Amino acid sequence: RTFGEPQTTRRPWRLQSLDLSRNSLSDASICKVMDFMKSLDVRLERLLLAGNCIRQQGLTAITEYIWNCPDALVEIDLADNEIYADPKAGPAPGSDVVSAFLRCIYNHSSYPVTLDAGREGLKVLPLLLRMGGNGIVHPEKLLKQIRSVGGKTHVRVCASADAYPHTAGEYLSVCLPDFLVQRALGNGAAAH
């Protein structure tokens, strides 16, 4: 069944899931995929890219896709890639690509996702973000900086991806399973 191109129909394509996991995709490939999805106004619920070769340039392209997409994703899987970040390095604390990615979600008007739970009122659905198995040095420090800059009432790192009662204060609500489990990358960066 054909729905036509979004430029013609003025309606975006919506996919429940795009799973390109374990394909050894490089940064250049990820950039092409993200640019293509932006140009065709493809909207996703789940972006699954685990086990590829994504680095800083690829994560930047993913961040740009998310920023330009009016709809929120509910799951992003970037586990077991080659993403390097060190919150202590760079010109200023928090200038790494992972912090920029989380800032994008914090500042995006579609996050956090809220659900109408009837009599229970509004609930927040945390973004399920899998980033374990990369080269994020000092991941606990990175999260501490995000909470410090964003504000403890505005940043919520959840133990599960289950919806919880809305408090109207969150700008970033995220579940980060295995975020603290990182690895050393070939560039000599030792993950802690």
Side-chain angles (χ1 to χ4, degrees):
R1 183 169 164 183
T2 305
F3 293 102
E5 290 200 25
Q7 293 89 346
T8 306
T9 64
R10 300 201 187 278
R11 296 179 60 187
W13 285 336
R14 288 188 161 80
L15 300 175
Q16 284 186 337
S17 180
L18 177 62
D19 189 351
L20 297 174
S21 299
R22 302 188 197 331
N23 280 295
S24 298
L25 296 175
S26 67
D27 271 351
S29 297
I30 292 297
C31 289
K32 286 179 185 176
V33 169
M34 294 298 112
D35 285 345
F36 187 74
M37 290 182 11
K38 279 192 307 190
S39 70
L40 291 180
D41 195 19
V42 177
R43 308 205 186 158
L44 303 171
E45 285 186 26
R46 290 175 169 75
L47 178 60
L48 309 175
L49 298 170
N52 284 296
C53 302
I54 299 171
R55 294 183 176 183
Q56 284 72 350
Q57 186 180 7
L59 184 55
T60 299
I62 294 165
T63 302
E64 289 171 3
Y65 165 76
I66 290 169
W67 182 252
N68 288 294
C69 184
D71 296 352
L73 284 82
V74 296
E75 180 179 358
I76 303 169
D77 190 350
L78 299 171
D80 303 319
N81 276 283
E82 298 174 5
I83 299 167
Y84 170 77
D86 185 348
K88 294 181 178 181
S95 61
D96 61 273
V97 291
V98 175
S99 295
F101 178 77
L102 292 170
R103 274 193 309 276
C104 167
I105 296 165
Y106 179 97
N107 289 309
H108 197 291
S109 62
S110 294
Y111 294 92
V113 173
T114 54
L115 309 168
D116 185 352
R119 289 185 206 169
E120 295 180 39
L122 283 180
K123 290 201 169 192
V124 173
L125 183 65
L127 171 65
L128 177 56
L129 177 57
R130 299 180 194 280
M131 291 193 81
N134 282 286
I136 301 170
V137 181
H138 311 291
E140 67 289 334
K141 175 108 174 128
L142 189 145
L143 289 179
K144 186 177 179 181
Q145 285 178 352
I146 294 291
R147 283 188 189 115
S148 175
V149 172
K152 290 182 181 180
T153 59
H154 300 305
V155 176
R156 186 162 178 174
V157 178
C158 304
S160 81
D162 296 335
Y164 61 87
H166 187 262
T167 62
E170 300 96 340
Y171 296 132
L172 175 63
S173 178
V174 64
C175 174
L176 292 162
D178 299 323
F179 185 76
L180 299 179
V181 180
Q182 299 295 326
R183 62 189 170 99
L185 297 178
N187 63 1
H192 296 274

